[in-house]
Structures are given as structure tokens and as C-alpha cells.
Amino acid sequence: MTENTGARHGGAPASRGRTTVADVVVEKIAGMAARDVPGVHALGSGFARSMGTMRERMPGAGSGRSVTRGVSVEVGELQAAIDLEIVVDYGVAITDVAGEVRESVISAVERMAGREVVEVNIAVSDVKLPDEEDEGEERQRIQ
């Protein structure tokens, strides 16, 4: 398939060439946008967070939490669909948090990646209770 990229010596510079956006780019944008919403404690299920914490402690695995944990995307040339698995803080209105996450993710992906977001599916896998320790906090104390 051939794409018309402008006339040989004419056409706007912005139309000369093609831009592709990798799935991991959209995953990172969506993950950061979701984490910024008040009431979102973490992304990913408890098991995924535990495995991620173990991976992060391995030499050469990099530092910091994985931005893409709990995020999966399908990215086309013009559109994207996003699935998120989140853990919310106890006491928040889950439907309100989910709505704010959708707005934040859609806004960030459409602005930064230039893809129309057709859907953002959110699965709330857990609630963080005030007296619960995070898996990472508990492991750090035991070492």
C-alpha cells in the first residue's frame, strides 16, 4: 500500500512522511495519566504488583515501578483502545474515580499520541485499606 506524502516539491512539510506510535508509548502515557488521578492507589492486580516488585529488585532490571503494569492497549493508525486494572483507595467513590481516569487517559493519549481513543475499559481489582501495608513496604522492612 502506498501513501501519498505530498507533491515532489510541494505540500506542507508536516505531510511529508509518516509517523508511527508504538504500543508501549501509548501504554506509558495511559499508565502515567491514570496514576495521576486522586483515589488511584496503584495499577495492576495484587499478584502483578508482587511480581513487579520482585523484578525491580533484581540486578540490572532497572529502578522504579513499571509504568505499564496493569495497562494493555491496542493501537491502530488512527485509533487506540485501552484496558486498565486499578487498585483504588478505601473511601473513594469508585465510579467517580473510574470516570476521572477515563477522562485523564483519553485526554493524554489523544493530545500526546494523536490517536482517537475509542474506549477505556477499567477493572477495579482491589481496594487499599488504610491499615494495609503495600507489598513493597513490607518487604523493605523485613530485609
Side-chain angles (χ1 to χ4, degrees):
M1 182 167 113
T2 316
E3 183 177 325
N4 184 0
T5 57
R8 184 174 165 152
H9 294 289
S15 67
R16 295 182 196 171
R18 185 175 172 182
T19 303
T20 59
V21 178
D23 289 7
V24 70
V25 173
V26 175
E27 286 175 350
K28 287 181 178 183
I29 293 168
M32 291 299 294
R35 279 181 175 77
D36 286 345
V37 174
V40 174
H41 178 74
L43 269 66
S45 66
F47 179 73
R49 291 194 324 273
S50 296
M51 294 305 292
T53 301
M54 288 174 31
R55 266 194 307 272
E56 289 165 3
R57 294 175 187 273
M58 295 174 63
S63 61
R65 294 183 176 182
S66 174
V67 177
T68 60
R69 186 179 312 136
V71 182
S72 64
V73 301
E74 292 180 33
V75 182
E77 287 187 34
L78 302 173
Q79 297 178 323
I82 302 165
D83 294 324
L84 299 169
E85 186 173 2
I86 68 172
V87 176
V88 297
D89 292 321
Y90 176 80
V92 300
I94 294 173
T95 54
D96 292 347
V97 171
E100 291 177 32
V101 167
R102 272 191 193 89
E103 288 180 28
S104 179
V105 168
I106 290 169
S107 175
V109 170
E110 288 184 348
R111 180 176 50 82
M112 295 174 70
R115 300 298 184 265
E116 176 192 7
V117 178
V118 294
E119 65 182 5
V120 176
N121 299 309
I122 299 172
V124 179
S125 62
D126 202 357
V127 62
K128 169 70 170 72
L129 300 176
D131 58 346
E132 283 182 331
E133 290 186 25
D134 285 332
E135 289 94 7
E137 292 173 5
E138 186 176 319
R139 283 188 179 83
Q140 288 176 354
R141 195 179 82 227
I142 292 173
Q143 291 179 358

